[in-house]
Short mmCIF file of all heavy atoms in Angstrom, two decimals:
data_model
loop_
_atom_site.label_atom_id
_atom_site.label_comp_id
_atom_site.label_asym_id
_atom_site.label_seq_id
_atom_site.Cartn_x
_atom_site.Cartn_y
_atom_site.Cartn_z
N MET A 1415 12.72 74.81 105.28
CA MET A 1415 13.54 75.80 105.93
C MET A 1415 15.01 75.37 105.69
O MET A 1415 15.28 74.19 105.50
CB MET A 1415 13.24 75.88 107.43
CG MET A 1415 13.62 74.67 108.24
SD MET A 1415 12.94 74.86 109.92
CE MET A 1415 12.56 73.16 110.21
N ASN A 1416 15.93 76.35 105.75
CA ASN A 1416 17.32 76.11 105.56
C ASN A 1416 17.98 75.83 106.86
O ASN A 1416 17.76 76.60 107.84
CB ASN A 1416 18.01 77.30 104.86
CG ASN A 1416 17.47 77.51 103.44
OD1 ASN A 1416 17.28 76.52 102.70
ND2 ASN A 1416 17.29 78.69 103.12
N VAL A 1417 18.81 74.81 106.94
CA VAL A 1417 19.41 74.41 108.19
C VAL A 1417 20.94 74.36 108.02
O VAL A 1417 21.46 73.75 107.05
CB VAL A 1417 18.92 73.00 108.67
CG1 VAL A 1417 19.61 72.58 109.96
CG2 VAL A 1417 17.44 73.03 108.87
N SER A 1418 21.68 75.00 108.96
CA SER A 1418 23.12 74.96 108.98
C SER A 1418 23.58 74.51 110.37
O SER A 1418 23.16 75.19 111.34
CB SER A 1418 23.77 76.31 108.66
OG SER A 1418 23.43 76.70 107.32
N ILE A 1419 24.33 73.45 110.48
CA ILE A 1419 24.86 73.01 111.76
C ILE A 1419 26.37 73.03 111.57
O ILE A 1419 26.92 72.34 110.75
CB ILE A 1419 24.38 71.60 112.12
CG1 ILE A 1419 22.87 71.59 112.14
CG2 ILE A 1419 24.98 71.10 113.45
CD1 ILE A 1419 22.22 70.26 112.31
N LEU A 1420 27.02 73.88 112.44
CA LEU A 1420 28.45 74.19 112.30
C LEU A 1420 29.19 73.80 113.53
O LEU A 1420 28.70 74.05 114.66
CB LEU A 1420 28.64 75.70 111.99
CG LEU A 1420 27.71 76.26 110.91
CD1 LEU A 1420 27.83 77.81 110.96
CD2 LEU A 1420 28.25 75.74 109.54
N SER A 1421 30.37 73.27 113.40
CA SER A 1421 31.30 73.05 114.47
C SER A 1421 32.47 74.09 114.27
O SER A 1421 32.51 74.77 113.28
CB SER A 1421 31.85 71.69 114.56
OG SER A 1421 32.78 71.41 113.53
N ALA A 1422 33.38 74.09 115.23
CA ALA A 1422 34.51 75.01 115.06
C ALA A 1422 35.38 74.70 113.86
O ALA A 1422 36.01 75.55 113.31
CB ALA A 1422 35.37 74.95 116.35
N ASN A 1423 35.37 73.40 113.47
CA ASN A 1423 36.27 72.97 112.35
C ASN A 1423 35.62 72.84 111.01
O ASN A 1423 36.28 72.93 109.99
CB ASN A 1423 36.88 71.62 112.76
CG ASN A 1423 37.68 71.64 113.97
OD1 ASN A 1423 38.25 72.68 114.29
ND2 ASN A 1423 37.80 70.59 114.66
N LYS A 1424 34.27 72.56 110.99
CA LYS A 1424 33.65 72.27 109.67
C LYS A 1424 32.13 72.39 109.75
O LYS A 1424 31.54 72.52 110.84
CB LYS A 1424 34.06 70.85 109.25
CG LYS A 1424 33.53 69.80 110.11
CD LYS A 1424 34.01 68.41 109.63
CE LYS A 1424 33.52 67.34 110.56
NZ LYS A 1424 33.89 65.99 110.09
N SER A 1425 31.52 72.32 108.63
CA SER A 1425 30.09 72.28 108.52
C SER A 1425 29.60 70.83 108.64
O SER A 1425 30.13 70.00 107.91
CB SER A 1425 29.60 72.83 107.17
OG SER A 1425 28.24 72.72 107.00
N LEU A 1426 28.69 70.57 109.66
CA LEU A 1426 28.25 69.21 109.86
C LEU A 1426 27.03 68.88 109.05
O LEU A 1426 26.77 67.74 108.73
CB LEU A 1426 27.96 68.98 111.36
CG LEU A 1426 29.13 69.27 112.31
CD1 LEU A 1426 28.72 69.23 113.73
CD2 LEU A 1426 30.28 68.31 112.05
N TYR A 1427 26.21 69.94 108.78
CA TYR A 1427 25.02 69.75 107.91
C TYR A 1427 24.64 71.10 107.32
O TYR A 1427 24.65 72.11 108.02
CB TYR A 1427 23.81 69.22 108.69
CG TYR A 1427 22.63 69.00 107.81
CD1 TYR A 1427 22.46 67.82 107.09
CD2 TYR A 1427 21.62 69.95 107.73
CE1 TYR A 1427 21.37 67.62 106.30
CE2 TYR A 1427 20.51 69.74 106.94
CZ TYR A 1427 20.40 68.60 106.20
OH TYR A 1427 19.27 68.41 105.38
N ASN A 1428 24.34 71.10 106.05
CA ASN A 1428 23.86 72.29 105.41
C ASN A 1428 22.82 71.89 104.31
O ASN A 1428 23.23 71.24 103.33
CB ASN A 1428 25.04 73.10 104.75
CG ASN A 1428 24.62 74.44 104.35
OD1 ASN A 1428 23.55 74.94 104.65
ND2 ASN A 1428 25.46 75.08 103.52
N GLY A 1429 21.58 72.17 104.56
CA GLY A 1429 20.57 71.80 103.60
C GLY A 1429 19.22 72.16 104.05
O GLY A 1429 19.04 72.87 105.06
N SER A 1430 18.16 71.60 103.38
CA SER A 1430 16.80 71.91 103.80
C SER A 1430 16.24 70.80 104.66
O SER A 1430 16.78 69.67 104.77
CB SER A 1430 15.91 72.07 102.51
OG SER A 1430 15.86 70.86 101.84
N ALA A 1431 15.22 71.18 105.44
CA ALA A 1431 14.57 70.25 106.35
C ALA A 1431 13.16 70.70 106.63
O ALA A 1431 12.85 71.88 106.46
CB ALA A 1431 15.34 70.10 107.61
N THR A 1432 12.29 69.79 107.04
CA THR A 1432 10.99 70.12 107.48
C THR A 1432 10.83 70.17 109.00
O THR A 1432 9.93 70.79 109.47
CB THR A 1432 9.88 69.17 106.90
OG1 THR A 1432 10.30 67.82 107.25
CG2 THR A 1432 9.84 69.24 105.41
N ALA A 1433 11.81 69.53 109.68
CA ALA A 1433 11.80 69.55 111.20
C ALA A 1433 13.24 69.24 111.66
O ALA A 1433 13.94 68.53 111.03
CB ALA A 1433 10.88 68.45 111.70
N VAL A 1434 13.56 69.91 112.75
CA VAL A 1434 14.85 69.64 113.39
C VAL A 1434 14.65 69.56 114.87
O VAL A 1434 14.06 70.48 115.51
CB VAL A 1434 15.89 70.78 113.09
CG1 VAL A 1434 17.26 70.40 113.65
CG2 VAL A 1434 16.02 71.07 111.65
N ALA A 1435 15.03 68.42 115.46
CA ALA A 1435 14.88 68.22 116.92
C ALA A 1435 16.23 68.51 117.62
O ALA A 1435 17.26 68.06 117.16
CB ALA A 1435 14.46 66.81 117.19
N PHE A 1436 16.17 69.31 118.71
CA PHE A 1436 17.36 69.74 119.37
C PHE A 1436 17.29 69.28 120.86
O PHE A 1436 16.24 69.28 121.47
CB PHE A 1436 17.48 71.26 119.37
CG PHE A 1436 17.79 71.87 118.03
CD1 PHE A 1436 16.81 72.40 117.22
CD2 PHE A 1436 19.11 71.85 117.58
CE1 PHE A 1436 17.11 72.97 115.99
CE2 PHE A 1436 19.40 72.38 116.35
CZ PHE A 1436 18.40 72.91 115.57
N PRO A 1437 18.51 69.02 121.43
CA PRO A 1437 18.55 68.78 122.87
C PRO A 1437 18.75 70.08 123.64
O PRO A 1437 19.86 70.55 123.93
CB PRO A 1437 19.79 67.84 123.00
CG PRO A 1437 20.71 68.33 121.89
CD PRO A 1437 19.77 68.72 120.78
N GLY A 1438 17.61 70.72 123.90
CA GLY A 1438 17.68 72.06 124.64
C GLY A 1438 18.23 71.92 126.03
O GLY A 1438 18.09 70.88 126.66
N ALA A 1439 18.87 72.96 126.52
CA ALA A 1439 19.37 72.97 127.87
C ALA A 1439 18.37 72.71 128.95
O ALA A 1439 18.60 72.05 129.94
CB ALA A 1439 20.15 74.25 128.15
N LYS A 1440 17.12 73.23 128.76
CA LYS A 1440 16.05 73.06 129.69
C LYS A 1440 15.22 71.81 129.37
O LYS A 1440 14.77 71.09 130.25
CB LYS A 1440 15.13 74.25 129.73
CG LYS A 1440 15.84 75.53 130.21
CD LYS A 1440 15.31 75.97 131.50
CE LYS A 1440 16.04 77.25 131.85
NZ LYS A 1440 16.00 77.48 133.26
N SER A 1441 15.02 71.58 128.05
CA SER A 1441 14.26 70.38 127.64
C SER A 1441 14.41 70.24 126.10
O SER A 1441 14.71 71.22 125.46
CB SER A 1441 12.74 70.45 127.95
OG SER A 1441 12.14 71.48 127.23
N PRO A 1442 14.25 69.05 125.54
CA PRO A 1442 14.29 68.92 124.08
C PRO A 1442 13.16 69.68 123.40
O PRO A 1442 12.11 69.88 123.98
CB PRO A 1442 14.08 67.39 123.87
CG PRO A 1442 14.28 66.75 125.21
CD PRO A 1442 13.95 67.82 126.24
N PHE A 1443 13.43 70.14 122.20
CA PHE A 1443 12.40 70.84 121.41
C PHE A 1443 12.62 70.63 119.93
O PHE A 1443 13.70 70.24 119.50
CB PHE A 1443 12.37 72.34 121.74
CG PHE A 1443 13.64 73.07 121.34
CD1 PHE A 1443 13.71 73.77 120.14
CD2 PHE A 1443 14.73 73.14 122.22
CE1 PHE A 1443 14.88 74.46 119.79
CE2 PHE A 1443 15.91 73.86 121.86
CZ PHE A 1443 15.98 74.49 120.65
N THR A 1444 11.55 70.85 119.17
CA THR A 1444 11.59 70.67 117.71
C THR A 1444 11.19 71.98 117.01
O THR A 1444 10.25 72.64 117.45
CB THR A 1444 10.62 69.55 117.30
OG1 THR A 1444 10.97 68.37 117.97
CG2 THR A 1444 10.66 69.29 115.77
N VAL A 1445 11.99 72.28 115.96
CA VAL A 1445 11.70 73.43 115.17
C VAL A 1445 11.08 73.00 113.86
O VAL A 1445 11.61 72.10 113.22
CB VAL A 1445 13.00 74.21 114.87
CG1 VAL A 1445 12.78 75.34 113.83
CG2 VAL A 1445 13.62 74.72 116.14
N LEU A 1446 9.95 73.56 113.45
CA LEU A 1446 9.23 73.28 112.26
C LEU A 1446 9.26 74.45 111.39
O LEU A 1446 9.62 75.59 111.77
CB LEU A 1446 7.78 72.90 112.53
CG LEU A 1446 7.62 71.66 113.52
CD1 LEU A 1446 6.13 71.53 113.86
CD2 LEU A 1446 8.14 70.39 112.90
N ASP A 1447 8.84 74.32 110.10
CA ASP A 1447 8.68 75.45 109.14
C ASP A 1447 7.87 76.57 109.87
O ASP A 1447 6.92 76.29 110.60
CB ASP A 1447 7.97 74.99 107.89
CG ASP A 1447 8.87 74.24 106.95
OD1 ASP A 1447 10.10 74.46 106.97
OD2 ASP A 1447 8.38 73.38 106.21
N ASN A 1448 8.25 77.77 109.52
CA ASN A 1448 7.58 78.98 110.03
C ASN A 1448 7.62 79.07 111.59
O ASN A 1448 6.69 79.67 112.18
CB ASN A 1448 6.12 79.06 109.54
CG ASN A 1448 6.08 79.14 108.04
OD1 ASN A 1448 6.80 79.86 107.40
ND2 ASN A 1448 5.22 78.29 107.43
N HIS A 1449 8.64 78.58 112.18
CA HIS A 1449 8.79 78.62 113.62
C HIS A 1449 9.03 80.07 114.06
O HIS A 1449 9.70 80.83 113.32
CB HIS A 1449 9.93 77.72 114.11
CG HIS A 1449 9.95 77.45 115.55
ND1 HIS A 1449 10.37 78.35 116.50
CD2 HIS A 1449 9.62 76.34 116.26
CE1 HIS A 1449 10.28 77.78 117.67
NE2 HIS A 1449 9.80 76.56 117.60
N ALA A 1450 8.60 80.50 115.20
CA ALA A 1450 8.88 81.82 115.74
C ALA A 1450 10.38 81.98 115.96
O ALA A 1450 11.06 80.97 116.28
CB ALA A 1450 8.13 81.98 117.03
N PRO A 1451 10.89 83.19 115.85
CA PRO A 1451 12.33 83.40 116.10
C PRO A 1451 12.72 83.07 117.55
O PRO A 1451 11.97 83.39 118.52
CB PRO A 1451 12.52 84.90 115.87
CG PRO A 1451 11.34 85.31 115.01
CD PRO A 1451 10.21 84.40 115.39
N ILE A 1452 13.81 82.33 117.72
CA ILE A 1452 14.30 81.99 119.06
C ILE A 1452 15.82 81.90 118.99
O ILE A 1452 16.44 81.74 117.95
CB ILE A 1452 13.76 80.64 119.56
CG1 ILE A 1452 14.22 79.48 118.68
CG2 ILE A 1452 12.27 80.70 119.79
CD1 ILE A 1452 13.95 78.11 119.35
N ILE A 1453 16.43 82.02 120.19
CA ILE A 1453 17.82 81.63 120.39
C ILE A 1453 17.81 80.79 121.68
O ILE A 1453 17.16 81.14 122.64
CB ILE A 1453 18.70 82.89 120.66
CG1 ILE A 1453 18.75 83.77 119.40
CG2 ILE A 1453 20.12 82.43 121.03
CD1 ILE A 1453 19.47 85.05 119.55
N SER A 1454 18.50 79.59 121.57
CA SER A 1454 18.45 78.66 122.70
C SER A 1454 19.83 78.03 122.87
O SER A 1454 20.52 77.74 121.89
CB SER A 1454 17.39 77.62 122.45
OG SER A 1454 17.36 76.69 123.55
N SER A 1455 20.13 77.72 124.14
CA SER A 1455 21.37 76.92 124.39
C SER A 1455 21.04 75.43 124.25
O SER A 1455 19.89 75.00 124.43
CB SER A 1455 21.90 77.24 125.75
OG SER A 1455 20.92 76.99 126.71
N LEU A 1456 22.06 74.68 123.87
CA LEU A 1456 21.91 73.23 123.69
C LEU A 1456 22.82 72.51 124.61
O LEU A 1456 23.88 73.00 125.03
CB LEU A 1456 22.29 72.89 122.24
CG LEU A 1456 21.48 73.59 121.15
CD1 LEU A 1456 22.08 73.25 119.79
CD2 LEU A 1456 20.05 73.18 121.20
N THR A 1457 22.43 71.29 124.97
CA THR A 1457 23.18 70.46 125.84
C THR A 1457 23.63 69.20 125.15
O THR A 1457 23.30 68.99 123.97
CB THR A 1457 22.40 70.09 127.13
OG1 THR A 1457 23.18 69.46 128.07
CG2 THR A 1457 21.21 69.19 126.76
N LYS A 1458 24.33 68.31 125.76
CA LYS A 1458 24.82 67.06 125.18
C LYS A 1458 23.62 66.24 124.73
O LYS A 1458 22.63 66.13 125.44
CB LYS A 1458 25.62 66.29 126.21
CG LYS A 1458 26.17 64.98 125.67
CD LYS A 1458 27.01 64.30 126.68
CE LYS A 1458 27.56 63.01 126.08
NZ LYS A 1458 28.38 62.25 127.00
N GLY A 1459 23.65 65.73 123.50
CA GLY A 1459 22.59 64.96 122.94
C GLY A 1459 22.70 64.85 121.46
O GLY A 1459 23.77 64.95 120.88
N THR A 1460 21.57 64.60 120.82
CA THR A 1460 21.56 64.37 119.39
C THR A 1460 20.63 65.39 118.68
O THR A 1460 19.52 65.55 119.12
CB THR A 1460 21.06 62.95 119.04
OG1 THR A 1460 21.85 62.05 119.73
CG2 THR A 1460 21.09 62.65 117.53
N ILE A 1461 21.12 66.02 117.59
CA ILE A 1461 20.31 66.81 116.75
C ILE A 1461 19.83 65.89 115.65
O ILE A 1461 20.61 65.17 115.00
CB ILE A 1461 21.08 67.98 116.12
CG1 ILE A 1461 21.59 68.92 117.19
CG2 ILE A 1461 20.21 68.74 115.10
CD1 ILE A 1461 22.52 70.03 116.62
N ILE A 1462 18.46 65.86 115.42
CA ILE A 1462 17.88 65.02 114.40
C ILE A 1462 17.21 65.90 113.36
O ILE A 1462 16.30 66.66 113.68
CB ILE A 1462 16.79 64.08 115.06
CG1 ILE A 1462 17.46 63.18 116.08
CG2 ILE A 1462 16.12 63.21 113.90
CD1 ILE A 1462 16.45 62.36 116.91
N VAL A 1463 17.74 65.82 112.12
CA VAL A 1463 17.25 66.61 111.03
C VAL A 1463 16.37 65.69 110.18
O VAL A 1463 16.79 64.61 109.75
CB VAL A 1463 18.41 67.13 110.16
CG1 VAL A 1463 17.86 68.00 109.00
CG2 VAL A 1463 19.37 67.95 111.01
N SER A 1464 15.12 66.17 109.90
CA SER A 1464 14.15 65.33 109.12
C SER A 1464 13.65 66.16 107.95
O SER A 1464 13.48 67.33 107.98
CB SER A 1464 12.97 64.96 110.02
OG SER A 1464 13.37 64.24 111.16
N ASN A 1465 13.41 65.39 106.87
CA ASN A 1465 12.80 65.96 105.68
C ASN A 1465 11.61 65.08 105.35
O ASN A 1465 11.72 63.88 104.98
CB ASN A 1465 13.75 65.97 104.51
CG ASN A 1465 13.51 67.13 103.55
OD1 ASN A 1465 12.46 67.78 103.66
ND2 ASN A 1465 14.31 67.28 102.57
N GLN A 1466 10.38 65.65 105.54
CA GLN A 1466 9.13 64.89 105.49
C GLN A 1466 9.15 63.89 106.64
O GLN A 1466 9.42 64.25 107.75
CB GLN A 1466 8.89 64.25 104.13
CG GLN A 1466 8.88 65.23 102.95
CD GLN A 1466 7.76 66.26 103.09
OE1 GLN A 1466 6.80 66.11 103.76
NE2 GLN A 1466 7.93 67.37 102.37
N ALA A 1467 8.95 62.59 106.41
CA ALA A 1467 8.93 61.60 107.46
C ALA A 1467 10.32 60.89 107.60
O ALA A 1467 10.45 59.94 108.33
CB ALA A 1467 7.86 60.58 107.20
N GLU A 1468 11.32 61.32 106.81
CA GLU A 1468 12.62 60.61 106.78
C GLU A 1468 13.71 61.41 107.44
O GLU A 1468 13.86 62.59 107.28
CB GLU A 1468 12.99 60.47 105.30
CG GLU A 1468 14.33 59.88 105.09
CD GLU A 1468 14.69 59.74 103.61
OE1 GLU A 1468 13.97 60.27 102.76
OE2 GLU A 1468 15.75 59.18 103.37
N GLN A 1469 14.42 60.73 108.36
CA GLN A 1469 15.55 61.34 109.04
C GLN A 1469 16.73 61.46 108.05
O GLN A 1469 17.01 60.44 107.45
CB GLN A 1469 15.93 60.57 110.28
CG GLN A 1469 14.97 60.66 111.37
CD GLN A 1469 15.50 59.94 112.65
OE1 GLN A 1469 16.58 59.42 112.67
NE2 GLN A 1469 14.60 59.85 113.64
N VAL A 1470 17.29 62.62 107.92
CA VAL A 1470 18.38 62.81 106.98
C VAL A 1470 19.70 62.97 107.67
O VAL A 1470 20.77 62.84 107.09
CB VAL A 1470 18.14 63.97 105.95
CG1 VAL A 1470 16.98 63.57 105.04
CG2 VAL A 1470 17.88 65.26 106.67
N ALA A 1471 19.73 63.27 108.97
CA ALA A 1471 20.93 63.46 109.72
C ALA A 1471 20.73 63.28 111.23
O ALA A 1471 19.69 63.79 111.75
CB ALA A 1471 21.54 64.81 109.44
N ASN A 1472 21.62 62.55 111.84
CA ASN A 1472 21.67 62.43 113.34
C ASN A 1472 23.03 62.91 113.73
O ASN A 1472 24.04 62.25 113.35
CB ASN A 1472 21.42 61.02 113.79
CG ASN A 1472 20.03 60.52 113.62
OD1 ASN A 1472 19.13 61.37 113.51
ND2 ASN A 1472 19.82 59.27 113.60
N ILE A 1473 23.15 63.95 114.49
CA ILE A 1473 24.44 64.57 114.84
C ILE A 1473 24.55 64.63 116.32
O ILE A 1473 23.80 65.31 117.02
CB ILE A 1473 24.56 65.99 114.21
CG1 ILE A 1473 24.41 65.86 112.73
CG2 ILE A 1473 25.89 66.63 114.59
CD1 ILE A 1473 24.16 67.21 111.99
N GLU A 1474 25.55 63.93 116.87
CA GLU A 1474 25.86 63.88 118.29
C GLU A 1474 26.60 65.20 118.60
O GLU A 1474 27.55 65.52 117.97
CB GLU A 1474 26.64 62.72 118.72
CG GLU A 1474 25.99 61.43 118.57
CD GLU A 1474 24.84 61.25 119.59
OE1 GLU A 1474 24.96 61.70 120.73
OE2 GLU A 1474 23.82 60.63 119.21
N ILE A 1475 26.14 65.92 119.70
CA ILE A 1475 26.87 67.11 120.08
C ILE A 1475 27.14 67.11 121.56
O ILE A 1475 26.51 66.36 122.38
CB ILE A 1475 26.00 68.39 119.73
CG1 ILE A 1475 24.66 68.44 120.54
CG2 ILE A 1475 25.75 68.46 118.25
CD1 ILE A 1475 23.92 69.79 120.45
N ALA A 1476 28.09 67.96 122.02
CA ALA A 1476 28.39 68.07 123.41
C ALA A 1476 27.74 69.35 124.02
O ALA A 1476 27.71 69.54 125.21
CB ALA A 1476 29.91 68.21 123.61
N GLY A 1477 27.19 70.24 123.14
CA GLY A 1477 26.55 71.44 123.59
C GLY A 1477 26.67 72.50 122.51
O GLY A 1477 27.27 72.25 121.45
N GLY A 1478 26.14 73.69 122.77
CA GLY A 1478 26.16 74.81 121.77
C GLY A 1478 25.01 75.69 121.88
O GLY A 1478 24.36 75.81 122.95
N PHE A 1479 24.59 76.30 120.78
CA PHE A 1479 23.46 77.15 120.71
C PHE A 1479 22.80 77.14 119.38
O PHE A 1479 23.49 76.76 118.36
CB PHE A 1479 23.74 78.57 121.22
CG PHE A 1479 24.63 79.38 120.32
CD1 PHE A 1479 24.14 80.16 119.27
CD2 PHE A 1479 26.00 79.31 120.47
CE1 PHE A 1479 24.96 80.84 118.44
CE2 PHE A 1479 26.86 80.04 119.64
CZ PHE A 1479 26.32 80.78 118.63
N VAL A 1480 21.59 77.56 119.24
CA VAL A 1480 20.86 77.58 117.97
C VAL A 1480 20.08 78.85 117.87
O VAL A 1480 19.57 79.38 118.83
CB VAL A 1480 19.94 76.33 117.83
CG1 VAL A 1480 18.85 76.31 118.88
CG2 VAL A 1480 19.26 76.29 116.46
N GLU A 1481 19.99 79.41 116.67
CA GLU A 1481 19.16 80.56 116.34
C GLU A 1481 18.20 80.21 115.22
O GLU A 1481 18.65 79.64 114.23
CB GLU A 1481 20.02 81.77 115.91
CG GLU A 1481 19.20 83.00 115.56
CD GLU A 1481 20.01 84.15 115.00
OE1 GLU A 1481 21.11 83.93 114.46
OE2 GLU A 1481 19.57 85.25 115.15
N VAL A 1482 16.99 80.58 115.35
CA VAL A 1482 15.95 80.42 114.34
C VAL A 1482 15.42 81.80 113.98
O VAL A 1482 14.96 82.53 114.93
CB VAL A 1482 14.80 79.47 114.84
CG1 VAL A 1482 13.75 79.33 113.76
CG2 VAL A 1482 15.33 78.17 115.30
N HIS A 1483 15.51 82.17 112.72
CA HIS A 1483 15.01 83.48 112.26
C HIS A 1483 14.72 83.41 110.82
O HIS A 1483 15.56 83.06 110.00
CB HIS A 1483 16.08 84.52 112.61
CG HIS A 1483 15.65 85.93 112.31
ND1 HIS A 1483 14.67 86.51 113.09
CD2 HIS A 1483 16.00 86.80 111.34
CE1 HIS A 1483 14.49 87.75 112.62
NE2 HIS A 1483 15.24 87.94 111.55
N ASN A 1484 13.50 83.87 110.43
CA ASN A 1484 13.08 83.96 109.00
C ASN A 1484 13.35 82.68 108.14
O ASN A 1484 13.88 82.77 107.06
CB ASN A 1484 13.78 85.15 108.31
CG ASN A 1484 13.22 86.46 108.86
OD1 ASN A 1484 12.10 86.55 109.34
ND2 ASN A 1484 13.97 87.53 108.69
N GLY A 1485 13.00 81.52 108.70
CA GLY A 1485 13.19 80.30 107.93
C GLY A 1485 14.61 79.77 107.93
O GLY A 1485 14.88 78.83 107.16
N GLU A 1486 15.53 80.39 108.65
CA GLU A 1486 16.88 79.94 108.72
C GLU A 1486 17.17 79.41 110.14
O GLU A 1486 16.87 80.07 111.14
CB GLU A 1486 17.85 81.12 108.47
CG GLU A 1486 17.73 81.76 107.11
CD GLU A 1486 18.40 80.92 106.00
OE1 GLU A 1486 19.34 80.17 106.35
OE2 GLU A 1486 17.94 81.03 104.86
N VAL A 1487 17.73 78.21 110.18
CA VAL A 1487 18.09 77.58 111.45
C VAL A 1487 19.62 77.46 111.44
O VAL A 1487 20.17 76.76 110.59
CB VAL A 1487 17.44 76.22 111.61
CG1 VAL A 1487 17.85 75.55 112.93
CG2 VAL A 1487 15.89 76.36 111.55
N THR A 1488 20.27 78.07 112.39
CA THR A 1488 21.74 77.98 112.46
C THR A 1488 22.16 77.54 113.84
O THR A 1488 21.76 78.11 114.89
CB THR A 1488 22.43 79.35 112.19
OG1 THR A 1488 21.96 79.85 110.93
CG2 THR A 1488 23.94 79.24 112.17
N ALA A 1489 22.86 76.39 113.91
CA ALA A 1489 23.34 75.86 115.17
C ALA A 1489 24.89 75.80 115.16
O ALA A 1489 25.47 75.38 114.21
CB ALA A 1489 22.86 74.41 115.36
N CYS A 1490 25.43 76.37 116.24
CA CYS A 1490 26.86 76.30 116.47
C CYS A 1490 27.14 75.27 117.62
O CYS A 1490 26.57 75.52 118.72
CB CYS A 1490 27.45 77.64 116.84
SG CYS A 1490 27.24 78.83 115.46
N VAL A 1491 27.84 74.26 117.33
CA VAL A 1491 28.04 73.19 118.31
C VAL A 1491 29.46 72.87 118.51
O VAL A 1491 30.35 73.25 117.74
CB VAL A 1491 27.33 71.90 117.87
CG1 VAL A 1491 25.79 72.15 117.84
CG2 VAL A 1491 27.73 71.38 116.49
#
């Protein structure tokens, strides 16, 4: 799946991944390939982007939101 993690100033991550773990406002959750469409708010924590069994990015955030739709994951933090 394609993943874009954006801040107000720059792109923090743009690439492919097999899993992305998010600090959800209600509880942490993980998005995998072919995930159902969702929009969720995010809280302070770490976004962990993985490709196969390897972590490719750990991004500390203060909050934001994420949208998952048709194999595209877009987070604004």
Side-chain angles (χ1 to χ4, degrees):
M1415 70 187 145
N1416 295 318
V1417 179
S1418 297
I1419 302 172
L1420 311 166
S1421 74
N1423 299 333
K1424 63 182 177 178
S1425 174
L1426 302 173
Y1427 182 84
N1428 191 14
S1430 63
T1432 55
V1434 186
F1436 289 101
K1440 298 246 182 203
S1441 67
F1443 64 95
T1444 301
V1445 173
L1446 303 172
D1447 283 330
N1448 300 314
H1449 196 284
I1452 62 165
I1453 296 175
S1454 179
S1455 57
L1456 303 174
T1457 190
K1458 182 177 180 179
T1460 305
I1461 298 174
I1462 301 170
V1463 181
S1464 301
N1465 208 353
Q1466 303 299 339
E1468 179 183 4
Q1469 289 184 5
V1470 293
N1472 289 339
I1473 301 166
E1474 293 292 324
I1475 64 167
F1479 66 92
V1480 62
E1481 178 185 25
V1482 179
H1483 186 69
N1484 289 338
E1486 298 283 333
V1487 179
T1488 305
C1490 296
V1491 298

